[in-house]
Amino acid sequence: MISPRTRLIVVTNLHNPSSVPAGEPDLREVVELARSVGARVLVDEVYLDAIYQDTPRSSFHLGPEVVVTNSLTKVYGVSGLRCGWILAHPDLARAMWQLNNLFAATPVHPGELMSVAAFEHLDILREQARRVVEADRVLLNEFLERESNVSAVRTRWGTTCFLRLLEGDVDGFLERLRAEFETSAVPGRFFEMPGHFRIGMGVNTEMFAEGLGRISRALNQAPLLLP
């Protein structure tokens, strides 16, 4: 799909919604492809720090064509602060800063101060999140072993899982899941994969277990068959 008209290639690492990591050799190849047509590569690394052992270095180091976005919202669990950041070549970063200064108006200063405090304790926040995610992953793997009507690529890391519904219509299933079980998941059509749906981990293990239980009960009702 790359052509001389290409200006930006967007990658998520860890991949959203599957949580599959992209290795540095693969990312370097993407950067070289972008460089060949004068494009940039935007790598969203908001899930990258969910690799809790030997965390890869940021893709920002792969070249001046790379722009990296990240946030406190996912791995660190403080989404209420609305704090994110961008790594980019100095000239581009300066232009982004000027645009943000023009359009963002006045930020919430107490939130900025609390974000600075969070940065001083990232290891504590990350460790707290790690314990929740690892407990959730145990439950997820048990769920995948038990349920025959869904499958997923299993990963060691990440806070999202992309489930494939093997029989029936995903949108109909998710509608029933909401209506009858008061439980929501993200439709795969949002990711151009309509036979799937995404679930998230890492907030509260008791709540996650309850959610999996409700999905199981919905799956084990009479399937919604495609017309």
Side-chain angles (χ1 to χ4, degrees):
M1 296 177 66
I2 296 175
S3 78
R5 297 180 60 192
T6 302
R7 288 294 172 261
L8 185 68
I9 301 170
V10 181
V11 179
T12 56
N13 192 29
L14 304 175
H15 178 252
N16 180 17
S18 70
S19 289
V20 173
E24 186 166 307
D26 297 320
L27 291 167
R28 190 179 298 279
E29 185 175 352
V30 172
V31 173
E32 290 172 357
L33 288 170
R35 186 178 297 137
S36 71
V37 294
R40 297 185 188 273
V41 179
L42 170 61
V43 185
D44 184 356
E45 294 182 347
V46 72
Y47 294 104
L48 187 63
D49 284 353
I51 298 181
Y52 295 110
Q53 296 177 7
D54 301 322
T55 305
R57 68 175 185 164
S58 172
S59 300
F60 178 68
H61 300 284
L62 298 181
E65 299 85 1
V66 179
V67 179
V68 166
T69 54
N70 209 330
S71 170
L72 293 177
T73 60
K74 302 298 184 182
V75 174
Y76 298 102
V78 282
S79 57
L81 295 180
R82 318 311 297 167
C83 176
W85 59 94
I86 298 172
L87 303 178
H89 186 276
D91 290 342
L92 180 59
R94 190 174 299 108
M96 291 178 176
W97 177 274
Q98 290 172 343
L99 285 172
N100 186 67
N101 189 46
L102 176 63
F103 291 112
T106 305
V108 178
H109 189 53
E112 292 181 322
L113 295 177
M114 293 174 69
S115 297
V116 171
F119 273 105
E120 294 174 349
H121 301 284
L122 284 182
D123 289 344
I124 296 174
L125 293 172
R126 190 167 180 246
E127 177 61 22
Q128 177 177 312
R130 181 190 65 80
R131 291 194 296 268
V132 177
V133 172
E134 289 183 349
D136 288 355
R137 193 173 305 282
V138 171
L139 297 174
L140 174 66
N141 288 332
E142 293 173 352
F143 168 85
L144 292 173
E145 291 288 345
R146 184 174 66 246
E147 297 299 336
S148 59
N149 196 27
V150 291
S151 65
V153 175
R154 302 198 191 190
T155 65
R156 293 181 60 195
W157 316 112
T159 63
T160 61
C161 181
F162 205 37
L163 300 174
R164 180 186 176 194
L165 187 65
L166 301 181
E167 295 182 15
D169 169 52
V170 167
D171 285 339
F173 170 74
L174 295 181
E175 182 178 348
R176 187 176 67 206
L177 186 65
R178 285 192 301 272
E180 299 180 21
F181 297 92
E182 297 183 339
T183 302
S184 294
V186 181
R189 56 186 164 81
F190 291 167
F191 304 95
E192 299 182 2
M193 297 187 70
H196 298 67
F197 60 97
R198 188 189 73 175
I199 60 175
M201 299 175 283
V203 177
N204 178 291
T205 299
E206 182 179 354
M207 181 172 63
F208 183 67
E210 177 64 25
L212 290 179
R214 295 184 185 191
I215 292 173
S216 290
R217 293 196 293 275
L219 287 170
N220 291 310
Q221 290 184 358
L224 291 172
L225 298 179
L226 289 168

